[in-house]
Each structure stands twice: as C-alpha cells, then as structure tokens.
Amino acid sequence: MTEFYEDGDNIADTKAPDGPIETRWERRRFGAKLVNPANKRKLTVIVVGTGLAGGSAAATLAELGYHVKSYCYQDSPRRAHSIAAQGGINAAKNYRGDGDSIHRLFYDTVKGGDFRSRESNVRRLAEISVEIIDQCVAQGVPFAREYGGLLDTRSFGGAQVSRTFYARGQTGQQLLLGAYQALERQIGAGNVEMNARHEMLELIIVDGRARGIVVRDLVSGEITTEFADAVVLASGGYGNVFYLSTNAKGCNVTASWRAHRKGALFANPCYTQIHPTCIPVSGDHQSKLTLMSESLRNDGRVWVPKAKGDQRAPGAIPEDERDYYLERIYPAFGNLVPRDIASRAAKNVCDEGRGVGPGGLGVYLDFADAIQRLGRAAVEAKYGNLFEMYQRITGEDPYEVPMRIYPAVHYTMGGLWVDYDLQSTIPGLFVIGEANFSDHGANRLGASALMQGLADGYFVLPNTIGDYLAAGPFEKLTADHDQVAAARQQVEDRITRLLAINGDRTVDSFHRELGRIMWEYCGMERTDEGLRKAISLIRDLKAEFWQRVRVPGDGEGLNQSLEKAGRVADFFELAELMCIDALHRTESCGGHFRAESQDADGEAKRDDEHFSYVAAWEWGGEDAQPVLHKEDLDFEYVHPSTRSYK
Ligand SMILES: Cc1cc2nc3c(=O)[nH]c(=O)nc-3n(C[C@H](O)[C@H](O)[C@H](O)COP(=O)(O)OP(=O)(O)OC[C@H]3O[C@@H](n4cnc5c(N)ncnc54)[C@H](O)[C@@H]3O)c2cc1C
C-alpha cells in the first residue's frame, strides 16, 4: 500500500493470440465462436454512443442480425462529437508508392505511442486500416481525389509517408454520414431501436454480467431500465475534465466512470493528448477551444522570433530573425513531428519568452511559403474551410498573416481496460473507440483515432462479440429484479442529492476551477510536487461541490444544469485518479511528461525497466484507495528504443 493507492495482482490479456503476429487476428477470428443466424435474432445488444465507433458498431451488428438498442445524448445520432474530426484517417494502402506497408503503419504507431501499447492490437489495427477505406468508399464517403480520380492522401505527424485519406477538413463529418446512413438503414429495417436524447447514468450488472443500463430521457426526465445480452460502450473520450479542450462541450466520462465504479478497470487515465495546433485561449470567458487540424502542418511552417519579447508584427520580422524551431531541432520530421513533441517544443519556446500574441502564449503557423509555391487557389482547395474557421474566430486572415496557435487538450489515450476482444473486466461489457484505453499507447498519432474507432466498430467487435454471445440469450430480466431495482435507485438517489444541495455556486464555476487545476498540474508538464498539490485541491473542491453546487429546476423535464452536475461530479473522481496515475508513473512517455524525467536536451526520458506496463486501476470504493493492476507489455517486433525524430 502506498500513500494514494494499493497494489493489486498483475493482469494479462488472455484473449490475445500468440504466434506469428501477421496471423494473430485471423486465428482469433477463426477461434471465436459463431452465433447462427436464427439465434442472432434472439440476442439484444445495447450500444451507448453513435459516433464513429458506436454508429459503425450498431449498424454492423444489426446487419449481422442482432437486435440493437442504440443511445446518444444528442438530438440526432449524427451529431456525435466524431463529426468534428477534421484532418483525416490513416490507412496503409501505399497508393503513393512511397514505401508504406502494414508493417510500417504498425511500426510507426507503436513507436509513436512511445512503446506503451500492445503489439498484437496495433498490428491488427494496421491490417484493418486498408479495409476501412474500401468500406467507406463503398458507402460513398467523398474522400478527396487527385486529378486522375485516384484517392488522394496527405501526411500527418510521426510518419514519413503520405497515408492520410481525407475529405477536405471535414473527414469526421463525411465518415460519420457514411456510418449514419448505414445506421439509418437498420433503423428503417426495424433492427436498430434508436434512442436519441437519452443519457446512460448507470450500468446494470446481474450475476456478474453486464445486462443493461439505466437511462434518463433528457426531455421528459423519465428514468427507465433497459436490458440486453451485452452492453457496448462507445461513449468517447474525457478530455473535458480539463474544462477547456477541443472536444465538443457535451463530451464526458459518465458512461465509462459508472462502469468503472461497478468493476471495470480504468487503464492509463493520465495519458492525455495535448494537440499543438489550436487557437490560443483568448480570455477567462471562454468555454471551448478550437483545433486547427494537424494537416495544416503539411504546408504551414511553425516559427517564433529568435529574440525574446520581440513585439514586431510577423511580416516585419526578417527571415534570419525567425526561428523555425521544429525544422531546426527535428530536421528528419520537421513540422511533422508527433503531437507530444510539437506541443512541448511550443511550450518551451513560450517559456523562454519568445511566444507571440496576447500573454506570449502562441507560436506562428505560417503559410506564406506554401502560398508562394502552390498558389492561393491550391492552398484554399486543401484547407479552405479551416482558414475560414480561423478567420471567423480570430478576425485575422491567415492568407495574409500567419495563424497563431498554441497547444490544447484534445484526446484521451486512457480509458476502460479491454482485452483483445474489446471486452472489459466485466463480462458482457465491451468498450470501443476513444472510450477504451485504445491502441495508441502514451501518444496517439494524428489521423489514427478515426482509424481505430472504425476498426473497432465495423470489423473487430462484430467478430469478437459473438464469442461471448454464443452462450446467450441470458435470463430474461424485469424492472423489479433486485439488482436492476438497486441500479435504478442509485440513479434516483444521486439526482435527488444533486437537486437538494441548493447551494450558491454554478456547476460551470466548479468545472472551470477543476479544469484550471488539471491544466496547471496534470497538463503538459507534471511534477511530483504539483500532482500532490492537485490531488489535495481536487479533494477540497469536490467536497465543496457537494455542499455548494446549485442545480436549479427539477428532474421532471429538460434540465441541462442537472445533466452537467452529474457529469462534473464524475469528472472530480476521474481527475483524482488521473493525478494518482500520473504521480505513480515517474517516467516520461508520450503525452505524459514528468519534469523529473528528461534528458540533457529536455526530451522525455522513458523508464522501460520499471514502467513498461499498462496501469489498470480498480475502483477501491467511496472512501478507499484505488487498486493498481499491471499488465506487462512485451515487444517482439518493434523493439523499444529512444524515440528520435531528429
Ligand atoms: C476537433 C477534433 C478534430 C479531430 N480530428 C481528427 C482527425 O482528423 N483524425 C482522427 O483520426 N481523429 C480526430 N479526432 C479524434 C476523433 O474525432 C475522436 O477520437 C473520435 O471521433 C471519437 O469517436 P467515438 O465514436 O469514440 O466517440 P464520439 O464521437 O465522441 O461519440 C460518443 C458518443 O457517445 C454518446 N454518449 C456519451 N456518453 C453517453 C451517455 N452517458 N449516454 C448516452 N450516450 C452517451 C454521445 O452521445 C456520442 O454519440 C479529432 C478530435 C477533435 C476534438
């Protein structure tokens, strides 16, 4: 036992096949039990989430013959946060003939994740990547094409090949429309029951199996219990624990956290991705940050003035007084270094006093060279909607003056622990997309979240869930079953408790303060001292929340303060676990930079001897400490080395 957590037994991924890596997925698929078509009709699967992961999974499971109940809190499944994805999706198609291959995508992803992901999973992801593009093209997704009609690609960080397929700056939207129309088809066919504006507030476990969820109808306030033979969480990431992030405002951790409290292990919660190219914070009033896609680093050059405190307008700073610091420090990858590296480099030059814009928290992303080389029309064709978005938000024209950018919270590599079959530690509870702890290790490479979400939803889960469901259908449940009624009671008690506080501080004010603590102490740079302080501040703020929060209105209808209060309450508990995870991992790796663990050049220093494992946390109980279980990572094919992009 330590000051903040207890040590538990090691765990292992018992579903992961061994043997030659290129045959593992095929062998697992063959080894998994099948469910015959007549039996599929008798089996129900709940899918929480309609983003790229949940939408593709629900459509595919229904197409296979299962009965699917789908849930999202938005007013339409196609408003899931995935719609915001801009830059593209990776696939090892090697259309460019520039040396790409499944092995290279596998290699880049394991290396990009700083050797903290599972080889078997990443290899499978690289294999499936090529099928995803075919699937989406067949659906009619309008990927960008070259003059000759072939699918176009562009480059993204952490790769020296061009393997990112895209639809202008709206790739997520176009992919989601593809998944959505497949989903709508199944809704129309009666195979998917769609429940928009419904929020899952609890997981129902009966006899050790996930058997359903408790949901609140966000319009009428009605609380119901919903049953199935298996439950799939595709509820997205938790970056909004930082309050300010590039995520949609609604993104939250509640579905995952409720499952965690019921026994699902939560893996690597401290692995957060800070994206280097976002529009800088403009003031205290702000509630949302905006991403400027990584694709812009294909043609934009990142720089700051060489001199500290140089206040001149960018156009007045001559070439030889500019520091194109990414090109200088990392000549092999230049502006296309991975996100963790680019973010820290931006922070370093700003810390040196060379940042630009208000408060000195910004660096330039400059397109002058690209416009001169390619012409304005070509730049507009590639990035027009991103430039327009930037101009609308900042009032500055990026065709004339460089964009100002700064790192911001963007993606969470941590999430519920799953095995190779994507099943959590609760039998019958599967987790896909950003909600699981994913294949990205300690740092996700750009354009690989869409790849993973769609791989999980279209290809992996539909093959693995049958192995579990072959034992079903399970006992029929009714609302008066003891364990069902208890789960429902938990939801009702919590709502009653939140409404009864009737304090004097808004939910948002607590969320904003929590976010500041997290950004300051568990953001781009973490220290032992800072994390300890954060844990203490979070605990105090959480106690204050439960005494002073004011949730106006009641639970009988639409009440957005009530929705937010429940989500922020869960963020408090998650935030504490994130800090404990970050505190215990005294190495630096990927998005997790511990100031105490850096080399002479200020680069992250990994400690493979002590930390080459997945940290999977068990909920200890309301007043008890979390329990740490370790899953050791083995590297047979991509041997851990110091990650260098120089
Ligand atoms: C601005 C931006 C740009 C990005 N661009 C790219 C890119 O170019 N390439 C790339 O690979 N990745 C990109 N990403 C990352 C990528 O978009 C996400 O990781 C991915 O879309 C997540 O998909 P998902 O299906 O897992 O979750 P989401 O799309 O977040 O969907 C979550 C779903 O779960 C539902 N849900 C959540 N909780 C509950 C609950 N309690 N009850 C009911 N329903 C619930 C929601 O309603 C929603 O339908 C970007 C991210 C951002 C923020």
Side-chain angles (χ1 to χ4, degrees):
M1 181 154 147
T2 69
E3 195 181 345
F4 293 108
Y5 64 91
E6 286 177 34
D7 281 310
D9 296 336
N10 275 20
I11 53 167
D13 177 5
T14 53
K15 301 282 178 41
D18 48 19
I21 199 159
E22 58 282 1
T23 63
R24 286 183 191 169
W25 174 226
E26 197 186 325
R27 281 186 290 118
R28 176 61 196 136
R29 257 188 305 177
F30 186 74
K33 290 184 201 109
L34 294 175
V35 182
N36 88 45
N39 287 348
K40 282 194 185 124
R41 283 195 288 276
K42 296 180 203 148
L43 292 161
T44 300
V45 181
I46 283 177
V47 181
V48 179
T50 57
L52 284 173
S56 58
T60 312
L61 293 174
E63 188 80 47
L64 282 172
Y66 296 108
H67 180 65
V68 176
K69 291 159 94 172
S70 167
Y71 296 83
C72 70
Y73 56 71
Q74 288 92 351
D75 56 355
S76 157
R78 57 160 287 214
R79 292 201 180 207
H81 159 67
S82 289
I83 205 162
Q86 300 174 351
I89 175 167
N90 287 331
K93 285 280 199 187
N94 193 28
Y95 282 169
R96 295 256 171 176
D98 57 358
D100 203 8
S101 62
I102 286 173
H103 187 76
R104 190 177 296 281
L105 175 52
F106 161 58
Y107 174 90
D108 286 348
T109 308
V110 172
K111 176 183 167 192
D114 220 353
F115 303 94
R116 291 292 173 262
S117 45
R118 292 182 188 143
E119 281 192 333
S120 297
N121 287 53
V122 179
R123 167 73 203 202
R124 172 174 69 186
L125 182 63
E127 279 168 38
I128 292 176
S129 72
V130 294
E131 297 178 60
I132 296 172
I133 301 301
D134 297 344
Q135 161 95 353
C136 296
V137 168
Q139 286 175 340
V141 170
F143 284 120
R145 286 175 187 268
E146 291 175 334
Y147 180 72
L150 298 175
L151 294 187
D152 195 14
T153 53
R154 57 189 174 198
S155 301
F156 257 61
Q160 286 169 311
V161 294
S162 179
R163 63 160 76 99
T164 305
F165 294 79
Y166 65 100
R168 237 175 157 207
Q170 319 171 333
T171 316
Q173 179 174 353
Q174 299 306 330
L175 291 172
L176 192 61
L177 287 173
Y180 170 72
Q181 67 188 2
L183 181 64
E184 280 294 317
R185 178 167 171 269
Q186 292 301 327
I187 294 171
N191 302 329
V192 175
E193 210 181 288
M194 185 65 231
N195 301 280
R197 303 204 89 172
H198 280 72
E199 183 167 22
M200 167 193 165
L201 294 176
E202 199 51 83
L203 179 71
I204 297 172
I205 300 184
V206 175
D207 299 333
R209 293 180 191 274
R211 291 299 315 277
I213 57 177
V214 183
V215 293
R216 179 167 180 270
D217 178 328
L218 297 179
V219 180
S220 70
E222 189 190 3
I223 292 167
T224 52
T225 45
E226 307 290 334
F227 309 119
D229 295 287
V231 176
V232 179
L233 296 187
S235 44
Y238 52 84
N240 279 349
V241 65
F242 289 85
Y243 187 70
L244 285 181
S245 90
T246 62
N247 288 194
K249 282 294 289 172
C251 293
N252 68 87
V253 77
T254 289
S256 298
W257 196 254
R258 297 283 114 198
H260 172 59
R261 289 176 57 113
K262 292 233 157 142
L265 300 188
F266 207 108
N268 301 332
C270 80
Y271 288 167
T272 312
Q273 176 159 88
I274 316 278
H275 197 298
T277 58
C278 304
I279 299 181
V281 177
S282 62
D284 282 346
H285 59 280
Q286 216 166 334
S287 59
K288 173 87 186 70
L289 293 177
T290 307
L291 173 78
M292 286 287 104
S293 168
E294 179 164 308
S295 60
L296 294 167
R297 285 197 273 145
N298 270 271
D299 289 304
R301 297 181 69 196
V302 178
W303 66 276
V304 289
K306 279 187 180 161
K308 281 184 191 173
D310 189 336
Q311 300 285 337
R312 287 176 290 175
I317 303 178
E319 271 303 307
D320 62 352
E321 292 180 41
R322 298 175 178 194
D323 181 11
Y324 293 91
Y325 58 90
L326 290 179
E327 296 170 33
R328 174 174 57 81
I329 308 173
Y330 307 101
F333 282 68
N335 293 296
L336 283 173
V337 288
R339 294 175 179 178
D340 54 337
I341 309 261
S343 292
R344 266 201 310 281
K347 180 179 186 303
N348 290 344
V349 293
C350 293
D351 288 352
E352 286 163 23
R354 299 194 288 137
V356 300
L361 290 178
V363 301
Y364 290 127
L365 180 63
D366 195 338
F367 292 86
D369 280 0
I371 292 171
Q372 201 175 32
R373 184 166 36 91
L374 306 168
R376 179 179 164 134
V379 171
E380 199 170 334
K382 274 190 182 170
Y383 311 115
N385 70 315
L386 300 173
F387 276 45
E388 186 187 332
M389 192 161 77
Y390 181 87
Q391 183 163 16
R392 283 200 193 162
I393 292 173
T394 63
E396 292 170 13
D397 179 0
Y399 293 102
E400 300 295 332
V401 287
M403 287 183 179
R404 281 179 299 106
I405 51 162
Y406 195 68
V409 172
H410 180 63
Y411 180 89
T412 45
M413 280 76 69
L416 291 181
W417 185 91
V418 286
D419 62 18
Y420 191 71
D421 282 1
L422 303 180
Q423 188 167 205
S424 72
T425 43
I426 300 175
L429 181 72
F430 293 78
V431 191
I432 61 176
E434 194 174 336
N436 71 26
F437 84 106
S438 85
D439 302 339
H440 312 294
N443 171 59
R444 175 176 73 79
L445 291 183
S448 57
L450 303 184
M451 172 173 71
Q452 181 230 332
L454 290 180
D456 287 0
Y458 282 133
F459 297 99
V460 182
L461 182 81
N463 278 293
T464 57
I465 200 170
D467 193 64
Y468 175 79
L469 288 172
F474 301 109
E475 172 203 0
K476 215 169 167 40
L477 295 174
T478 53
D480 56 3
H481 186 289
D482 281 359
Q483 284 163 294
V484 176
R488 183 194 167 109
Q489 193 61 48
Q490 282 169 344
V491 170
E492 286 175 349
D493 290 350
R494 204 165 124 97
I495 290 177
T496 308
R497 190 174 164 207
L498 283 168
L499 288 167
I501 299 168
N502 205 15
D504 57 0
R505 270 190 76 173
T506 62
V507 179
D508 276 351
S509 79
F510 279 104
H511 192 179
R512 198 186 295 264
E513 192 172 335
L514 174 66
R516 279 201 200 109
I517 297 170
M518 291 302 284
W519 180 245
E520 179 74 23
Y521 302 109
C522 197
M524 265 197 282
E525 189 172 297
R526 297 141 182 208
T527 62
D528 182 278
E529 191 191 347
L531 289 163
R532 284 171 193 277
K533 184 164 178 195
I535 293 169
S536 153
L537 290 171
I538 292 165
R539 286 179 177 170
D540 290 349
L541 193 64
K542 180 174 136 193
E544 191 183 333
F545 172 88
W546 284 105
Q547 280 173 355
R548 284 187 59 191
V549 74
R550 179 172 170 74
V551 183
D554 57 36
E556 307 304 313
L558 181 70
N559 186 340
Q560 292 191 317
S561 291
L562 179 61
E563 291 166 30
K564 282 197 259 183
R567 295 170 190 169
V568 172
D570 289 334
F571 275 145
F572 274 116
E573 294 177 5
L574 165 77
E576 189 176 325
L577 186 66
M578 287 171 74
C579 293
I580 293 172
D581 188 37
L583 182 65
H584 107 282
R585 194 173 277 277
T586 54
E587 67 165 351
S588 292
C589 59
H592 169 63
F593 188 75
R594 280 290 297 259
E596 301 91 346
S597 183
Q598 49 185 310
D599 66 17
D601 293 335
E603 299 286 351
K605 202 161 127 202
R606 260 191 359 249
D607 177 358
D608 291 335
E609 193 188 334
H610 298 105
F611 290 101
S612 186
Y613 60 78
V614 174
W617 296 91
E618 179 187 342
W619 173 251
E622 209 65 65
D623 298 311
Q625 294 188 334
V627 183
L628 171 62
H629 301 271
K630 298 176 184 171
E631 179 201 332
D632 286 330
L633 293 167
D634 293 321
F635 295 93
E636 279 178 71
Y637 294 86
V638 187
H639 297 291
S641 55
T642 301
R643 211 161 51 118
S644 170
Y645 293 93
K646 293 183 173 170

